[in-house]
Amino acid sequence: MAEVRDVVQLGDPVLREVARPIADFEDEGMQRLIDELMVTLRQSNGVGIAAPQVAVPYRLLIVASRPNARYPHAPEMEPTVMLNPRWEAVTEERVKDWEGCLSVPGIRGLVPRYREIRVEYCDRTGHLQQQVLTDFVARIFQHEFDHLEGLVFLDRVESSQELMSEQEYLKRVV
Ligand code: ZN
């Protein structure tokens, strides 16, 4: 059974590091880390997680949208593990929507993100995959990818007036 890992919070310098590329996909420690990220994500009602959030600065993220207490309207999808991901916008169109983060507890912010993106990544067996992501799932990916660059969603919020406590968010927005 994979262990639930502690999620580091804003202020921990690991969240500000640029994460390192993964060279050995079959490494036992890497495969264990993927399993641990999966159970940590599920246990914390997240829809995505990046390895730096458990203090491991490697280029690994999981996108796993599904409805839960923190995101009641999230679409359901198979959790997707992405190693060494890259992406580009398909169109210039950006939309603002509310985001939260397991590493920034209690706060939501309005963040502009590209609506449609093309992503390329290695799956956990090392095979190259390509996908087009849209809307909420594209938003999750861009949020998690930012963690690999040492950024958090607060860095993308355009005004402090577009921040809200989690409690008010759940009362007013959901
Ligand atoms: Zn986050």
Side-chain angles (χ1 to χ4, degrees):
M1 240 327 246
E3 261 178 69
V4 175
R5 304 272 300 231
D6 287 334
V7 176
V8 297
Q9 299 192 351
L10 188 66
D12 189 316
V14 74
L15 290 175
R16 294 314 196 169
E17 277 181 47
V18 175
R20 294 189 286 274
I22 295 160
D24 184 359
F25 297 96
E26 279 158 26
D27 177 70
E28 210 179 294
M30 185 56 64
Q31 293 295 326
R32 191 180 329 116
L33 173 65
I34 292 169
D35 292 335
E36 289 171 351
L37 283 170
M38 288 283 224
V39 297
T40 304
L41 184 58
R42 182 155 278 272
Q43 203 241 10
S44 50
N45 280 332
V47 289
I49 196 166
Q53 291 185 275
V54 298
V56 183
Y58 277 101
R59 302 189 79 80
L60 160 61
L61 61 84
I62 299 174
V63 177
S65 177
R66 66 193 171 90
N68 63 39
R70 290 179 68 244
Y71 296 94
H73 306 301
E76 184 99 44
M77 67 180 280
E78 271 303 302
T80 307
V81 177
M82 302 181 180
L83 295 90
N84 297 338
R86 295 163 4 133
W87 70 280
E88 60 183 13
V90 174
T91 70
E92 285 302 303
E93 186 189 353
R94 296 199 306 163
V95 281
K96 266 191 194 178
D97 205 351
W98 293 95
E99 292 186 16
C101 180
L102 298 174
S103 297
V104 187
I107 300 276
R108 298 287 177 122
L110 265 184
V111 184
R113 301 283 188 192
Y114 290 101
R115 201 186 71 77
E116 186 173 11
I117 61 173
R118 188 176 297 111
V119 303
E120 190 179 274
Y121 58 92
C122 289
D123 63 25
R124 66 185 299 173
T125 64
H127 290 99
L128 198 62
Q129 306 286 344
Q130 283 181 327
Q131 245 176 300
V132 171
L133 306 179
T134 55
D135 300 314
F136 188 64
V137 177
R139 173 172 298 280
I140 298 171
F141 176 91
Q142 290 167 80
H143 175 116
E144 301 311 333
F145 187 89
D146 271 354
H147 281 302
L148 308 184
E149 298 294 307
L151 296 170
V152 297
F153 79 93
L154 297 174
D155 303 324
R156 304 264 188 209
V157 170
E158 291 173 334
S159 156
S160 54
Q161 310 242 3
E162 296 178 329
L163 292 172
M164 223 189 248
S165 79
E166 174 109 0
Q167 201 181 335
E168 292 298 326
Y169 168 81
L170 291 172
K171 206 156 67 185
R172 292 166 194 278
V173 183
V174 173

